[in-house]
Amino acid sequence: MDIAESELCKNSAGDGGAIFNNDGGILTIKKSTFGENTAENGGSIFNNESDLIILDSIINSSKAGENGGAIHNNSELSITASTLNFNKANHYGGAIYNYKADLAIEKSILSENTAENGGAIHNYDAEMSVTGSVFEKNTAENGAALNNVKNINR
């Protein structure tokens, strides 16, 4: 499935405020904006056992009652030339909660995200690479930019 040049704003759900991508689907998001979405997990996107590719997009002001203010991920996730800002999770991953899945971030900005653990990213037992990206003004009790538990590659 492809989503391009679209706005997904002010949506609410139990998981994945705007999108719940599940069970083997491949989702590519290009030049799109997500804003003010809410959910228990994955304020804007919940990605489960599926590939998710985000290009030239913005995810802002989304909230999760639990984990992943912008994205809750437990499958392959690639983010390029995108901005994730002003997102909030009450527990883990203000912008991204990544659980046992490959995560690659390139040429992106993660700013002013908030969570108890991992203001921008909470990475649990997963391979992660970050290249040419900016983390700024994120806040958390533990790991304002990144809270890593187990593996990490930079």
Side-chain angles (χ1 to χ4, degrees), residues 8 10 55 61 65 69 73 86-87 92 96 105-106 109 118 123-124 129 135 142 147-148:
L8 292 90
K10 298 183 181 179
L55 306 164
S61 302
N73 181 61
F86 304 107
N87 299 293
Y92 295 99
I96 301 169
I105 299 173
E106 186 174 345
I109 298 169
N123 186 57
Y124 181 82
S129 66
F135 291 76
N142 301 298
N147 188 45
N148 182 61

Side-chain angles (χ1 to χ4, degrees), residues 124-144:
Y124 181 82
D125 193 18
E127 293 294 321
M128 180 175 133
S129 66
V130 178
T131 307
S133 295
V134 175
F135 291 76
E136 62 184 6
K137 298 181 183 177
N138 298 291
T139 56
E141 268 186 48
N142 301 298

